[in-house]
Amino acid sequence: MDNYQPQEIESKWYERWESEKRFSPDSQQSDQSYTIVIPPPNVTGSLHIGHALVNTLQDVLIRWKRMQGFKTLWLPGTDHAGIATQMVVERELRKKGIEREVLGQEKFVEEIWKWKEQSGSTIFKQLRRLGASCDWERERFTLDEGLSRAVKKSFVDLYNEGLIYRGEYIINWCPHDKTALSDLEVDHEDQDGFLTYIAYPLENGEGEIIVATTRPETMLGDTAVAVNPDDPRFSRYIGQNVRLPLVNRIIPVIADEFVETEFGTGAVKVTPAHDPNDFQMGQRHNLPSVNIFTENAVINDVYPPLQGLDRFEARKQIVETLKAEGVFRKTDKHPHSVGHCQRCKTVVEPRLSTQWFCRMTDMAKASLQAVDEGKLRFVPESQAKVFFEWMNNIQDWCLSRQLWWGHRIPAWYCDDCGHIIVSEDPDVTTCPECQSTHLTQETDVLDTWYSSGLFPFSTMGWPEKTKDLEDFYPNSTLITGYDILFFWVARMVMLGIKLTGEVPFPEVFLHGLVRDENGEKMSKTRGNVIDPLDIVEKYGADAMRFTLTSLTVMGRDIKLPEKIIEGNRNFINKIWNATRFTLSHIERIGEPLPLEVVEPGIFDRWILSRLNQAVADVNRYLADYRFNEAAKSAYAFVWHEFCDWYLEIIKPVLFTKLGETAQTAALSVLFHVLEKSLRLLHPIMPFVTEELWQHLPGTEGTIMLAAFPEASATKVASVADAELLVELISVIRNIRGENNIKPNQKIDIICVSDQAELNRNLVAYQDIVRALAGIQKIDLKDHLQNKEGLAGGVGSGFEVFINLSESIDIEQEINRLEKEKSKLLAKQAQIAGKLNKPDFLSKAPVEVIEKNRSELAEIDVKIEKIDENLNTIRKL
């Protein structure tokens, strides 16, 4: 075997797996199925670190279940990503001097399909680099023929049931993208603004009402002034009229409990066409709605002096005009939350518009009932509370988007009688009400998340009763980020229950976001973006996968320092070298015998026991979605117990005379543990484990289909003695480290214990203990009175001491410890000073403050330990 070269190994094995159709469930014979559908990335996308995380975790589960004998399907797909894709293609066409409007909808959509065929598979090529074992022959696209059929069928059924309707409603409008947005597509940011106070004269000329507003420009659309009915300051005005400044419209003063008496003056302007709360108030009081903006958010002809002016410029002009007319009273600073389009960051405009909506209340109730009845479980459980809170306050879903790319709403309008026809038939030609043939098809498309919401079952062939739907729906689990709990997860649950009668998956694991090593969100502007493909190129996919798995702590975001990835690359090298070590001894000694026919020694039994525990732990942790614990258990066993301990212990045994009983047993156990360890690690590190497994004697096929290790219920006998010897060596190593004793310096030890068995084993295995702990002489005692000048450590029923005067240069060690202490004291003063500054505590992020506190606590412990060591040495 040559040295480990990940690029060569990874490309070789992935091509072989795919060509042999190893990812397809069709060749797997099992009555039990296990299914995951991929959270479909945008067709415009390329692999980012979030994709790397979610797809690594899914692949870990899929590979684990495949090795457990399940008929596994990991179904890949991409999302047509309406607005994102339309923007990309528009930009490309603009470079050629072509505008979308000139092409027309049909030709423009043709251009997008061309682009999709050329560039739409980029991310799946990248996922192959990561080792994703998806069944690529089942790849789906949310606009392909089958999924389009499911979208039309579901839309028509929900419309006929009265759940989908068309109506006028206040919606979020993006003036840049010129489309409606759902509430979830709006990001709210706190900004410093102003409250402008304006006097509205009473119609009878006997006074005025002063209102306060953050948006004075929308006064052009006011149709009332509202006060709280319990506010005595305004009770005499209720039922009177005021004159709207600038446009001189006469509007009523109304009473509504929604008005907060503490806000501004206690009187507010009501603009039903441009504020969601005002719209509701307008509905309650039958107020007219006056739209003052075009779709670009510029003033329309409602007020000719400002017609064509941008909304923010209009705000300035209106304030100046109000001052000139003598009705401006004052402005106060007022922080408030402003909605921005999630994609283009434009300030969103609330706008009264005719759109398509879906009633959500009943579907939300059914989803909550599924959680209550245990049919749907969230991991971590805290996400269930978030889910309930959102579902209990759910609003009707605005489905329509003013885009050209997407699922066109299957509706036609009769130009003669106004009847709306909703049909799966793509060629509606006649109005069923008046028989007119003058029909206009709806041009709006559906929100991208609608088709994504059908993904768990539409990809399996629904609404047809297909074999895949029977075998793989409901899916087994869903893995995704907590940031799309409402965008995607909630909608899949609601639509799944409504359209199929079943929860689409019984469990949802919601992982955190990947941040940089300081816990900061990754962004191009910060320059802290980690490209997973760069990491794969530098360290290999297995190192990347193991790192992401080991850092996935339930309920937390992930901090990703590159040094951890480098450390996991070293872990792979460790496994590689352990395999080379094993194969070299098999070549020299001969093929290992089955475990059943050898007589394992004390340390052989110990490593078999530790392996059994690691296997039990990994299986348990994966079943509970405790990915970090599964990786940690496998790592601790393979690196520390197998490589650091067992391999070192058996080296002298393996080099004894050929045919010795201990040698035969050690080789058999070594091979057994290595082979099982490779299978244990395969779901997390598929490439290197396949490569190494293929080099082992007696292996056939692929490790992908080899049985995943299962823990034995039978305990390995007599491992306590070995555990005690391992602990003893560890204690000696700690003493050496704490007292800076050079690794190659042999020392004498005193072992104090009244355990006869330990003392016997220490004599029997003294060669191993001496070699691993760097010992020259072992002095066994049952008690020790004078411990002066000795450095010691404590274990389970024993104490170990070394004579420092014989082991170190006392003066040199005192100087070293004092220098180390000085450095620590300086660092201690620096951090303590920072933590004592109120400015730092009030402005620094919580995680930075906690990091400093933790570092200070560690320094305190180190100084205390140095003082103890100095005290001991000075007594010498």
Side-chain angles (χ1 to χ4, degrees):
M1 284 173 61
D2 297 325
N3 291 327
Y4 172 56
Q5 298 296 333
Q7 284 73 24
E8 295 173 15
I9 289 169
E10 289 167 5
S11 59
K12 174 184 77 175
W13 282 112
Y14 201 91
E15 288 168 12
R16 181 165 161 184
W17 290 332
E18 193 169 3
S19 67
E20 293 176 356
K21 301 185 186 303
R22 296 296 190 183
F23 308 148
S24 171
D26 298 336
S27 60
Q28 301 165 22
Q29 303 301 317
S30 176
D31 295 332
Q32 288 182 292
S33 65
Y34 187 86
T35 316
I36 299 177
V37 295
I38 200 170
N42 287 355
V43 71
T44 57
S46 58
L47 192 74
H48 61 61
I49 197 69
H51 292 133
L53 171 65
V54 69
N55 288 290
T56 293
L57 299 182
Q58 290 172 94
D59 199 36
V60 167
L61 293 183
I62 282 289
R63 288 178 180 272
W64 174 52
K65 287 296 182 180
R66 188 184 288 126
M67 292 177 76
Q68 285 187 329
F70 284 75
K71 186 177 182 179
T72 55
L73 171 62
W74 184 15
L75 192 142
T78 46
D79 192 288
H80 64 277
I83 195 168
T85 308
Q86 182 162 314
M87 286 171 65
V88 168
V89 177
E90 276 191 68
R91 277 199 300 268
E92 293 299 312
L93 290 174
R94 213 168 277 134
K95 291 176 185 175
K96 302 174 185 177
I98 303 171
E99 291 295 329
R100 165 171 69 97
E101 291 77 10
V102 176
L103 272 182
Q105 185 167 1
E106 193 173 322
K107 294 281 187 188
F108 179 70
V109 169
E110 286 177 12
E111 289 295 322
I112 298 182
W113 276 107
K114 287 180 192 173
W115 176 89
K116 188 261 176 188
E117 294 309 313
Q118 293 169 0
S119 308
S121 60
T122 300
I123 195 165
F124 283 159
K125 290 174 184 173
Q126 294 168 335
L127 282 177
R128 286 172 166 87
R129 294 275 319 268
L130 202 64
S133 60
C134 299
D135 184 1
W136 299 111
E137 292 185 351
R138 279 179 165 84
E139 180 185 330
R140 303 306 297 268
F141 177 53
T142 52
L143 268 177
D144 69 26
E145 187 178 343
L147 272 64
S148 294
R149 158 98 171 95
V151 166
K152 287 179 184 174
K153 166 72 173 167
S154 63
F155 187 94
V156 172
D157 286 354
L158 294 173
Y159 176 81
N160 289 336
E161 199 175 329
L163 291 173
I164 286 180
Y165 65 96
R166 188 170 185 259
E168 193 175 50
Y169 204 81
I170 198 89
I171 50 98
N172 302 301
W173 180 262
C174 177
H176 177 270
D177 295 330
K178 298 183 184 63
T179 185
L181 303 172
S182 72
D183 290 344
L184 294 174
E185 294 168 298
V186 177
D187 289 334
H188 289 273
E189 297 176 12
D190 290 334
Q191 293 184 354
D192 292 329
F194 294 93
L195 266 183
T196 301
Y197 291 77
I198 309 166
Y200 285 36
L202 290 167
E203 184 187 21
N204 59 18
E206 297 178 359
E208 63 186 23
I209 296 180
I210 299 174
V211 302
T213 177
T214 57
R215 303 191 63 204
E217 71 278 10
T218 62
M219 67 173 292
L220 302 175
D222 287 359
T223 55
V225 168
V227 298
N228 192 291
D230 298 323
D231 191 338
R233 295 173 295 174
F234 299 104
S235 56
R236 71 180 186 278
Y237 298 118
I238 297 170
Q240 295 193 47
N241 294 328
V242 294
R243 187 180 300 277
L244 181 64
L246 306 188
V247 294
N248 290 319
R249 186 185 305 131
I250 302 300
I251 58 176
V253 179
I254 62 172
D256 196 287
E257 291 179 349
F258 177 78
V259 179
E260 297 177 4
T261 57
E262 297 82 13
F263 180 80
T265 63
V268 297
K269 55 193 279 307
V270 184
T271 319
H274 296 288
D275 183 277
N277 296 319
D278 290 5
F279 176 78
Q280 296 291 346
M281 211 183 301
Q283 295 286 298
R284 290 194 291 273
H285 296 273
N286 296 313
L287 299 175
S289 296
V290 178
N291 180 27
I292 69 167
F293 292 127
T294 67
E295 63 178 12
N296 298 319
V298 301
I299 303 295
N300 61 21
D301 59 3
V302 71
Y303 187 62
L306 297 182
Q307 187 172 355
L309 205 61
D310 172 78
R311 54 186 164 159
F312 299 116
E313 186 58 36
R315 180 178 299 175
K316 298 175 187 175
Q317 292 294 324
I318 280 179
V319 170
E320 293 305 313
T321 306
L322 291 171
K323 289 178 180 177
E325 294 204 1
V327 291
F328 171 83
R329 292 295 175 261
K330 65 172 181 174
T331 58
D332 287 338
K333 287 184 178 179
H334 179 72
H336 62 141
S337 182
V338 179
H340 292 72
C341 174
Q342 199 171 68
R343 185 157 297 279
C344 69
K345 308 308 178 188
T346 302
V347 173
V348 166
E349 187 60 49
R351 188 170 191 249
L352 190 62
S353 176
T354 301
Q355 302 285 342
W356 289 87
F357 297 89
C358 184
R359 304 182 204 279
M360 307 304 293
T361 306
D362 288 345
M363 285 195 275
K365 286 179 181 174
S367 301
L368 295 177
Q369 185 179 345
V371 178
D372 284 335
E373 293 176 354
K375 295 176 182 176
L376 176 62
R377 182 171 79 95
F378 289 96
V379 182
E381 288 182 6
S382 58
Q383 291 295 336
K385 183 180 178 183
V386 182
F387 182 77
F388 266 73
E389 189 174 334
W390 188 74
M391 287 294 208
N392 282 321
N393 295 285
I394 200 165
Q395 302 293 317
D396 285 0
W397 179 8
C398 179
L399 295 175
S400 45
R401 296 290 182 273
Q402 289 63 53
L403 303 170
W404 286 359
W405 172 245
H407 290 279
R408 198 168 181 177
I409 292 174
W412 289 257
Y413 307 103
C414 178
D415 299 337
D416 292 331
C417 72
H419 182 68
I420 300 175
I421 305 108
V422 173
S423 172
E424 293 180 64
D425 186 350
D427 300 312
V428 176
T429 56
T430 306
C431 173
E433 290 292 309
C434 69
Q435 310 309 310
S436 170
T437 57
H438 301 134
L439 304 180
T440 301
Q441 187 176 357
E442 174 65 85
T443 57
D444 285 358
V445 300
L446 285 167
D447 179 6
T448 296
W449 294 101
Y450 184 87
S451 51
S452 299
L454 309 178
F455 205 71
F457 49 94
S458 63
T459 53
M460 305 298 171
W462 185 92
E464 308 302 329
K465 296 188 182 300
T466 63
K467 185 74 166 59
D468 273 5
L469 191 67
E470 181 184 342
D471 287 349
F472 303 116
Y473 185 80
N475 307 158
S476 303
T477 190
L478 177 76
I479 311 288
T480 192
Y482 67 74
D483 54 326
I484 55 173
L485 173 59
F486 309 127
F487 275 117
W488 191 45
V489 180
R491 285 160 175 172
M492 282 190 290
V493 173
M494 288 187 284
L495 290 169
I497 294 172
K498 181 64 187 173
L499 296 169
T500 72
E502 295 183 274
V503 176
F505 27 72
E507 296 180 325
V508 180
F509 176 74
L510 295 159
H511 62 73
L513 306 181
V514 185
R515 301 180 180 274
D516 72 8
E517 60 184 306
N518 299 314
E520 297 287 338
K521 188 174 180 180
M522 292 187 193
S523 70
K524 291 179 181 177
T525 53
R526 284 196 181 100
N528 62 347
V529 172
I530 296 175
D531 186 333
L533 295 178
D534 290 345
I535 297 296
V536 168
E537 196 63 37
K538 189 172 181 180
Y539 299 108
D542 284 332
M544 173 69 140
R545 289 170 60 110
F546 194 88
T547 301
L548 292 172
T549 306
S550 66
L551 294 177
T552 302
V553 179
M554 197 179 291
R556 293 188 197 169
D557 286 347
I558 292 170
K559 293 181 185 179
L560 186 60
E562 191 171 329
K563 64 184 179 183
I564 293 182
I565 305 170
E566 185 178 359
N568 287 325
R569 164 64 194 260
N570 294 338
F571 177 45
I572 294 169
N573 284 334
K574 194 88 169 175
I575 302 163
W576 186 271
N577 290 331
T579 306
R580 292 179 65 177
F581 173 85
T582 305
L583 291 173
S584 70
H585 285 289
I586 289 174
E587 186 178 346
R588 185 176 61 82
I589 300 171
E591 287 203 13
L593 297 174
L595 275 186
E596 297 77 21
V597 300
V598 298
E599 296 178 26
I602 182 175
F603 289 106
D604 299 326
R605 293 194 299 275
W606 172 75
I607 197 64
L608 290 171
S609 170
R610 300 310 304 148
L611 170 64
N612 195 55
Q613 185 60 55
V615 166
D617 290 343
V618 170
N619 276 297
R620 183 174 79 257
Y621 290 140
L622 287 179
D624 292 340
Y625 302 98
R626 292 162 68 182
F627 292 98
N628 65 309
E629 296 289 354
K632 180 181 172 184
S633 294
Y635 181 98
F637 170 74
V638 173
W639 186 306
H640 299 302
E641 295 176 325
F642 179 54
C643 294
D644 283 356
W645 282 102
Y646 184 68
L647 263 57
E648 295 302 316
I649 288 170
I650 64 169
K651 276 180 182 177
V653 179
L654 291 174
F655 282 107
T656 56
K657 183 181 176 183
L658 291 180
E660 288 283 339
T661 302
Q663 182 195 65
T664 303
L667 184 67
S668 294
V669 171
L670 171 64
F671 174 77
H672 173 84
V673 173
L674 173 66
E675 192 275 339
K676 215 165 186 178
S677 296
L678 293 176
R679 283 188 278 139
L680 190 69
L681 287 166
H682 175 74
I684 306 177
M685 300 193 299
F687 293 111
V688 71
T689 51
E690 181 76 270
E691 175 71 16
L692 295 176
W693 193 77
Q694 293 292 338
H695 281 85
L696 299 183
T699 55
E700 292 181 359
T702 170
I703 194 173
M704 281 178 59
L705 299 179
F708 195 78
E710 291 292 333
S712 169
T714 306
K715 289 189 175 181
V716 181
S718 303
V719 296
D721 293 343
E723 293 276 9
L724 209 53
L725 289 172
V726 167
E727 185 184 1
L728 174 69
I729 295 167
S730 297
V731 170
I732 297 168
R733 286 176 172 178
N734 287 341
I735 298 170
R736 294 182 67 110
E738 287 172 1
N739 292 279
N740 202 34
I741 299 171
K742 294 173 184 176
N744 60 352
Q745 182 180 343
K746 298 292 183 181
I747 61 172
D748 296 342
I749 69 160
I750 302 167
C751 182
V752 181
S753 174
D754 58 1
Q755 296 183 70
E757 194 64 31
L758 171 64
N759 294 336
R760 275 196 298 272
N761 284 326
L762 196 47
V763 171
Y765 298 100
Q766 61 180 297
D767 290 344
I768 290 172
V769 174
R770 281 197 176 111
L772 295 181
I775 297 171
Q776 185 168 292
K777 179 185 173 186
I778 302 173
D779 187 5
L780 295 175
K781 294 181 181 293
D782 56 10
H783 70 280
L784 185 66
Q785 287 184 334
N786 184 14
K787 300 176 184 178
E788 194 73 28
L790 302 179
V794 180
S796 303
F798 65 84
E799 290 179 285
V800 178
F801 298 95
I802 66 167
N803 189 327
L804 285 177
S805 62
E806 297 173 356
S807 308
I808 61 171
D809 182 317
I810 293 172
E811 189 176 341
Q812 190 177 11
E813 182 62 9
I814 288 173
N815 289 336
R816 185 190 72 81
L817 289 172
E818 285 179 339
K819 282 180 183 177
E820 188 178 342
K821 182 179 176 180
S822 295
K823 289 179 184 177
L824 288 170
L825 286 170
K827 187 71 175 173
Q828 183 188 53
Q830 179 193 350
I831 296 173
K834 196 188 298 183
L835 289 170
N836 285 329
K837 290 180 180 176
D839 272 4
F840 175 74
L841 295 175
S842 62
K843 294 177 182 177
V846 174
E847 58 268 21
V848 173
I849 295 170
E850 288 306 314
K851 184 179 179 183
N852 275 270
R853 284 176 176 157
S854 176
E855 191 175 351
L856 186 62
E858 288 175 13
I859 289 172
D860 292 342
V861 171
K862 287 178 182 177
I863 291 172
E864 186 180 343
K865 188 63 184 175
I866 287 174
D867 284 338
E868 284 179 16
N869 288 351
L870 280 170
N871 188 46
T872 301
I873 294 171
R874 282 176 177 141
K875 286 179 180 177
L876 298 177

